[in-house]
């Protein structure tokens, strides 16, 4: 996979990166979103495909992207299709740091060492190619404001941004309410992105025992007053990324 095209996990992380503080918004849910973004990217590359609410490997050949190929190999070793919610809710912690280090190696972000409270070592990240971040945001803004159906990559990115709770980061305050609503609505434009985004939200809500509807079939409100699909739980933690160096 050539570097002429950024992957969806990379774009999701760049969207979450605050240019002022050098920290990422929604750090707790972002790992889940990155795991989901890997699935969407692998599907777009023709390596996996949805099978109901499960994910099946259809071509095990590596993509050339080490982080994606690691996920692809883990999926291949399962031997049978795995439910998206189980995959995303599995031991995927650390993806945020993995991708930040990856973007640093690619020259897309720059690590800045610091200290929290004058004691705890921290690392913050500044985008080195701000034009890239602006282009990603512009695509999202265009899809939201024009109402024109976006391409699958942008639709999937929007779905994942909504799923991890980036709406209030990207479109804050009362003035951003309509944009947040449209961001949520973009989930319907890409079935794979919708499947994965719903799985991310289900993991956050502790849902996973029952198969859910295919996003392409629509998403009616759950009976008995359950969570309406598309609702994102509040995220209590918006902190930065303190990191204790390895000993």
């Amino acid at each position: 996979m050539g570097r002429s095209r950024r992957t969806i996990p990379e774009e999701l992380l760049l969207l979450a990166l605050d240019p002022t503080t050098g920290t990422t918004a929604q750090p707790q849910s972002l790992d889940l979103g990155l795991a989901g973004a890997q699935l969407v990217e692998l599907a777009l590359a023709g390596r996996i495909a949805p099978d109901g609410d499960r994910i099946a490997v259809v071509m095990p050949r590596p993509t050339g992207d080490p982080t994606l190929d690691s996920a692809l190999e883990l999926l291949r070793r399962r031997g049978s299709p795995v439910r998206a919610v189980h995959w995303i809710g599995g031991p995927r912690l650390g993806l945020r740091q993995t991708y930040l280090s990856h973007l640093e190696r690619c020259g897309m972000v720059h690590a800045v060492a610091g200290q929290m409270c004058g004691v705890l070592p921290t690392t913050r990240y500044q985008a080195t190619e701000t034009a890239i971040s602006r282009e990603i945001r512009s695509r999202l803004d265009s899809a939201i404001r024009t109402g024109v159906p976006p391409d699958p990559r942008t639709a999937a990115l929007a779905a994942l941004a909504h799923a991890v709770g980036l709406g209030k980061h990207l479109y804050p305050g009362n003035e951003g309410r309509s944009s947040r609503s449209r961001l949520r609505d973009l989930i319907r434009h890409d079935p794979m992105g919708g499947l994965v985004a719903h799985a991310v939200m289900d993991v956050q809500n502790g849902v996973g025992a029952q198969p859910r509807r295919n996003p392409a079939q629509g998403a009616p409100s759950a009976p008995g007053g359950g969570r309406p699909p598309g609702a994102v739980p509040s995220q209590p933690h918006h902190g930065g990324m303190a990191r204790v160096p390895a000993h």
Side-chain angles (χ1 to χ4, degrees):
M1 180 176 295
R3 297 306 304 157
S4 59
R5 171 178 285 175
R6 295 177 301 275
T7 66
I8 294 175
E10 292 169 356
E11 293 196 333
L12 182 65
L13 185 52
L14 287 171
L15 272 180
L17 192 62
D18 190 308
T20 302
T21 65
T23 62
T24 54
Q26 303 298 87
Q28 291 180 319
S29 58
L30 195 54
D31 275 337
L32 302 176
L34 290 170
Q38 287 185 319
L39 293 181
V40 177
E41 191 66 46
L42 287 170
L44 289 171
R47 287 350 188 241
I48 64 174
D51 180 5
D53 67 343
R54 296 175 182 268
I55 303 298
V57 175
V58 295
M59 183 191 298
R61 179 167 57 85
T63 66
D65 182 303
T67 52
L68 292 176
D69 290 340
S70 175
L72 179 61
E73 176 62 14
L74 288 173
L75 285 166
R76 187 193 66 78
R77 289 179 184 176
R78 293 292 183 97
S80 60
V82 58
R83 288 187 64 196
V85 69
H86 290 163
W87 171 260
I88 290 169
R92 301 288 173 268
L93 297 180
L95 272 181
R96 183 167 49 105
Q97 186 57 52
T98 296
Y99 269 101
L100 282 168
S101 299
H102 168 71
L103 290 179
E104 184 181 12
R105 289 192 300 271
C106 293
M108 297 175 68
V109 301
H110 172 65
V112 180
Q115 288 185 326
M116 179 181 292
C117 301
V119 178
L120 183 64
T122 63
T123 303
R124 299 177 184 272
Y125 294 85
Q126 300 292 337
T128 56
E129 298 288 344
T130 56
I132 293 176
S133 297
R134 287 196 301 269
E135 184 272 331
I136 297 169
R137 178 65 180 270
S138 176
R139 281 171 32 225
L140 213 57
D141 290 345
S142 177
I144 286 172
R145 292 169 182 166
T146 65
V148 176
D151 63 274
R153 301 184 71 83
T154 302
L157 179 64
L160 287 161
H162 167 69
V164 301
L166 287 183
K168 290 185 178 181
H169 167 69
L170 298 170
Y171 307 104
N174 288 332
E175 65 276 13
R177 183 176 300 172
S178 62
S179 292
R180 293 195 298 271
S181 177
R182 294 190 188 103
L183 180 70
R184 178 195 63 214
D185 292 343
L186 289 175
I187 201 170
R188 71 183 187 274
H189 288 294
D190 180 59
M192 182 64 180
L195 168 67
V196 169
H198 280 303
V200 169
M201 291 185 282
D202 281 349
V203 171
Q204 293 180 80
N205 284 291
V207 178
Q210 298 297 325
R212 65 175 301 120
R213 291 172 63 99
N214 188 322
Q217 297 174 342
S221 298
R227 175 182 61 86
V232 175
S234 60
Q235 298 293 330
H237 178 60
H238 296 266
M241 302 179 318
R243 186 172 69 179
V244 179
H247 296 287

